[in-house]
Structure formats: structure tokens, C-alpha cells
Amino acid sequence: MKSSDIRARFLKFFEERGHTVVASSPLVPANDPTLLFTNSGMVQFKDVFLGREPRAYNRATTAQRCLRAGGKHNDLENVGYTARHHTFFEMLGNFSFGDYFKRDAIRYAWDLLTKVYKLQPERLWTTVYHEDDEAYDLWTKEIGVPKGRCIRIGDKPEGPKYQSDNFWQMADTGPCGPCSEIFYDHGLGIPGGPPGSGEDEGDRYIEIWNLVFMQFNRDDKGAMTPLPKPCVDTGMGLERIAAVLQGVHSNYEIDLFRDLIRAAGRETGTKDLANNSLNVIADHIRACAFLVVDGVIPGNEGRGYVLRRIIRRAIRHGYKLGRTEPFFHRLVADLSRVMGGAYPELPWAKERVTEVLKAEEERFAETLENGMKVLEGALHREDRMLDGETVFQLYDTFGFPVDLTADMARERGIMIDHAGFEAAMQRQRERARAAGKFKMDAGVEYSGRATEFRGYDTLALEDAKVAALYRE
């Protein structure tokens, strides 16, 4: 089943059950200054959940584009090293705003997975918060999941009450509640144990869907009171469920990525399509293109700097594959063909996105090669530590984000001196503050001919002369 079909069937399934299909919101949240980027499907509905914003519907379903590459939620450094980490991903979700609750949410999830997507029921495991007897009974008694495959998950050891993988909270106060996760068992031969076991970090049992039941309000004293209208917020990663339905282990093997990886191979001249650098480039073109679509441009701070970091990381992986000329922007057309049907705003902005990425590539190309020479020369130290001054030089002079330098050092088994880098940054700030202080000095005395500005009339002069040079 193609990823586009998985997405379409999800939305149709819930639309047929009274849900309004709501378009994806941008990656830049419009209603939450605490978030750098939209990182889940519920972000655009936050004010609805809090009762601040009325909507014309009380059931919704979305395919939401999300980004986790900055702030608290940051998967950037893991992209290219694991089978399931991405900067950009799609979250499929269904939501109830005071309408249905646990029984319907659980039944909908089970029916979609087993009747529409045709997953084998014996491959599915579920988890519930250890005090949520209602959800446990729904899974084991109504759905028929064997008790051995419905795991109660408690609070984290030595943590406060409700600090659990199966208890969700929007913040320290406000709406919160237990959640129930659905896992898929990839079968024997894949290392890892079931959820809740000591080996649950392995790849055999993969979480594919999280059902959040918002039923309490927590006050500033920690007291929990039931919400008058409990809500449901669910999220299933498209890339994860596509990997399951397409019978592959890595998200980078699904159809969405195969097309982009082939395109990255074409543009970098790489025939080995299993090369991890192609995975990075394929992931990063999705993140960068949609960030530009949503109004972010490369810069030196905030969201713009996150975008710059991702672009330059992709360019570096192209350089690693031997591609020294700009190439990354050429992937926008391929991405538009792959995802433009689901997100029409992408083909509409395709030319602008291409130009923005090309300009950033050309800018970084001016310093990349020389910066790489400096880095290569510094990576041969016997103590296996890249000094902070070099990290700062790469950042300040050659435009290498720190995580990009750390990425390259990690490939050689070398650590970077973060403390030394911060010290160099602090010295730079102090120099900038000192230089910015206003001071009155004597003016330069010059008795020669006055300077004439001719730039309004011409861009070149053959008879121009430098009459004097002054040193401070």
C-alpha cells in the first residue's frame, strides 16, 4: 500500500465516522509562542482543547506535517544513524472535542488497523497507564487483546506521580490524562523485547499509534479534577505505519523515501542507494522545503538558524559524496511530485523554495571547502578531542553550525570541546560589546583633494586613485 493511499484511507475512515477533515497547519505555530515548530497533530487544536476557541465541529482528523529539529524536541543529530528518526514527518490523527471518548477511540483504532489496513491482530500489542482500568478492560474484554499483550505501564522509577510514558500532559498545569499506545511486533529475528520490559529499546516492537485521553485538569498544587468534557487526541506517524504495511524495517525504505533517495543519488552521482548520506539528504529536503513554504528563510537566529543548520548539514553530506557544486535545491521538483498531491501549497511555492535553497547553497559553498581543510587538519589530534577554538573558528569564519562540526567529528570517533567553544563565544560577545561602546577620538587630518563619489553615474572608473591609507 502506497504512503499516499495510507494517508487517504486514514482520512476517509474517520470522515465516514463523522470527523471533519482539517488541512495541515503550517510548521510555524500560529497560536503557541512556546513552540519553535509544530511537532504534533494537536498543536493547531490547542486552544480548542483548552476551551478558548470554538469550532464548527467536535470531531476532526488531519494529516499534519511536523518538525522536530530544535528546542526541546530535536531529532536532528540522530537523522541518518537510525531507522526511524526524522526532522520532518507526517502525523495522522483523529480528535474528539468533548464528544466520544475511550471506547470509540480504541474501537476506531483497532478497526482501522485490522480491517482497513489488514494488520494481523496477533502482531499488535497495547499499553495502558497502570491505573487506567477502563482502557485495560476495553482492550482485553471488548477488543479481545490477550492480557499478556496489554501491558500496564507505571510511573518512572524515583519520579513523581504521573511521570510516565503512558500519561500525557500539555504542561505542568492544565489538561492531562492517561494514554494507550499500540505496538507492532516485527517478529523473531529482530532484537528487542515487548513494551515495559528491560529490552523495550530494541527494534522488534515498534510504537505505531498513541491514543491520548484528556480527562483531568491539574492545578498548580498538583490536584487532579475531572474535565467536564473529556477529549481524545491521537497520533500515528505515517512513515512508521507505512514501513509496517510495506513490509520493510526502516522508514527510509518506504516509497516516499525511495523516490527521494533515488533523486539524491542522481544529483550527487551516487550509485550506492544504501549510503546513509542519501537518507540524510532525502530527510532534509522535506524539512527545508516545507519550512520555506511556511515562511521561514535561512538566518542566524531562531527558526531561520534551524533551517540554515539543516540545509548546511545536507550540503555537507553531498560534499561527503563528492558533490561540490550546488545540488540540494534541484530536489524540490522531485519532492513536489512525491508530496504535492497531499500538500498543494508545495507545488504552488516550488520556484520560490528552489531559489531560497539555491541561494543558501551558494552562500555556504564560498566557505565550505576551506572550512573542511581546517577541520581535517584539526581532526588528527591524539587526544581525540576537537578543541573549542577550532570549533569556534569553523562557526564564526566558515559558517559551520556546531552540530554540523560535531556530526563530522562523531564520524571519526572524536569528541568536541563544547566548554571551550562556549568560552570562545563569550570572548567574542565581550569584544563585540566593547567595540560597540561609543567613544570620541580625534578625527583623521587630511589636506589632499576631497573624495568624489561617482557611483550614481557608473560602476567602473579607469582613472580612480587611492590617495591615502590610514591605520587606526
Side-chain angles (χ1 to χ4, degrees):
M1 191 183 297
K2 292 183 178 180
S3 297
S4 57
D5 293 331
I6 296 168
R7 185 193 298 114
R9 291 191 187 191
F10 184 96
L11 297 175
K12 181 181 179 183
F13 176 89
F14 284 103
E15 185 177 30
E16 291 173 343
R17 286 154 181 80
H19 293 66
T20 297
V21 178
V22 180
S24 171
S25 63
L27 290 173
V28 178
N31 60 346
D32 192 343
T34 67
L35 278 180
L36 197 60
F37 300 110
T38 298
N39 56 26
S40 69
M42 67 79 61
V43 170
Q44 69 166 308
F45 300 116
K46 181 177 178 180
D47 287 344
V48 183
F49 283 123
L50 293 172
R52 298 171 182 162
E53 178 188 345
R55 295 278 178 107
Y57 47 81
N58 53 21
R59 298 182 177 200
T61 184
T62 63
Q64 173 66 50
R65 54 184 183 267
C66 301
L67 194 83
R68 290 183 180 172
K72 177 182 176 182
H73 302 283
N74 186 6
D75 287 339
L76 181 60
E77 66 180 21
N78 293 314
V79 173
Y81 295 94
T82 72
R84 277 170 289 280
H85 278 98
H86 306 289
T87 52
F88 176 98
F89 61 98
E90 293 182 74
M91 187 68 81
L92 306 175
N94 60 289
F95 307 89
S96 167
F97 311 116
D99 187 4
Y100 64 84
F101 201 44
K102 294 180 186 179
R103 172 173 279 106
D104 287 339
I106 287 173
R107 172 56 68 184
Y108 288 155
W110 187 259
D111 286 352
L112 179 64
L113 292 176
T114 61
K115 296 179 180 179
V116 177
Y117 292 154
K118 306 294 186 183
L119 290 181
Q120 300 173 9
E122 57 271 20
R123 290 286 191 110
L124 300 177
W125 289 59
T126 62
T127 63
V128 300
Y129 186 58
H130 70 124
E131 294 181 353
D132 192 355
D133 295 331
E134 181 184 3
Y136 184 83
D137 288 343
L138 287 168
W139 281 119
T140 58
K141 296 178 180 179
E142 292 198 14
I143 300 299
V145 174
K147 292 182 178 180
R149 296 210 314 269
C150 186
I151 313 300
R152 292 180 183 266
I153 303 294
D155 299 324
K156 293 185 181 297
E158 301 180 8
K161 187 173 178 58
Y162 302 121
Q163 188 178 88
S164 168
D165 289 337
N166 278 71
F167 197 92
W168 181 90
Q169 44 200 343
M170 189 177 293
D172 291 337
T173 60
C176 59
C179 60
S180 183
E181 297 177 323
I182 304 173
F183 289 75
Y184 181 79
D185 177 6
H186 278 284
L188 297 172
I190 304 295
S197 70
E199 300 176 331
D200 59 3
E201 293 297 320
D203 285 341
R204 176 173 171 178
Y205 299 86
I206 300 300
E207 178 205 337
I208 56 174
W209 206 343
N210 188 17
L211 317 178
V212 176
F213 308 123
M214 283 183 265
Q215 64 184 102
F216 300 110
N217 184 69
R218 190 209 303 262
D219 65 21
D220 55 3
K221 296 182 177 59
M224 300 282 214
T225 55
L227 290 171
K229 291 185 177 181
C231 299
V232 172
D233 157 26
T234 86
M236 175 164 61
L238 174 62
E239 295 80 5
R240 288 197 178 198
I241 189 62
V244 169
L245 292 173
Q246 294 175 16
V248 296
H249 181 62
S250 168
N251 290 3
Y252 291 96
E253 297 174 41
I254 68 174
D255 59 337
L256 274 177
F257 277 104
R258 282 200 307 269
D259 292 340
L260 294 175
I261 287 170
R262 278 195 294 267
R266 179 195 71 223
E267 294 299 335
T268 58
T270 305
K271 294 182 179 179
D272 177 15
L273 298 185
N275 191 300
N276 269 347
S277 287
L278 297 182
N279 292 351
V280 174
I281 294 167
D283 171 273
H284 288 8
I285 190 60
R286 303 204 312 162
C288 295
F290 277 103
L291 279 172
V292 177
V293 166
D294 290 337
V296 181
I297 59 173
N300 289 326
E301 57 185 29
R303 297 182 178 102
Y305 190 58
V306 173
L307 174 57
R308 173 163 286 168
R309 287 162 52 203
I310 302 173
I311 295 172
R312 295 190 174 190
R313 192 170 189 261
I315 295 169
R316 200 283 295 191
H317 277 275
Y319 188 91
K320 185 179 176 182
L321 295 172
R323 183 67 175 182
T324 57
E325 298 297 321
F327 73 95
F328 190 53
H329 66 283
R330 295 196 183 115
L331 299 175
V332 174
D334 297 277
L335 178 66
S336 183
R337 282 192 292 272
V338 172
M339 299 187 67
Y343 300 98
E345 55 268 52
L346 175 59
W348 182 80
K350 182 174 62 176
E351 286 75 19
R352 177 172 62 86
V353 174
T354 300
E355 288 303 314
V356 169
L357 297 185
K358 183 180 180 182
E360 182 66 11
E361 280 192 272
E362 291 172 344
R363 178 179 181 139
F364 192 37
E366 296 172 1
T367 60
L368 175 60
E369 186 172 356
N370 289 333
M372 290 298 294
K373 290 177 181 177
V374 171
L375 179 61
E376 287 294 332
L379 286 177
H380 297 292
R381 291 177 45 144
E382 294 183 1
D383 62 0
R384 315 295 293 171
M385 176 69 74
L386 185 61
D387 64 282
E389 286 292 342
T390 299
V391 177
F392 176 75
Q393 180 189 9
L394 290 167
Y395 167 82
D396 190 53
T397 305
F398 301 104
F400 282 41
V402 178
D403 51 55
L404 177 61
T405 301
D407 207 29
M408 290 184 279
R410 179 168 63 165
E411 292 174 358
R412 310 284 189 88
I414 295 174
M415 304 289 289
I416 72 169
D417 178 12
H418 284 282
F421 167 76
E422 289 298 333
M425 277 290 290
Q426 184 59 32
R427 290 193 292 272
Q428 170 79 328
R429 295 186 191 103
E430 291 170 356
R431 287 194 295 268
R433 281 196 294 269
K437 291 181 179 177
F438 181 80
K439 57 182 179 181
M440 178 70 76
D441 290 330
V444 174
E445 294 184 4
Y446 170 64
S447 58
R449 180 182 170 187
T451 299
E452 295 181 42
F453 180 69
R454 306 273 293 278
Y456 293 121
D457 304 315
T458 181
L459 296 178
L461 289 173
E462 295 182 357
D463 59 344
K465 294 181 180 180
V466 177
L469 292 174
Y470 290 84
R471 186 173 66 183
E472 185 178 348

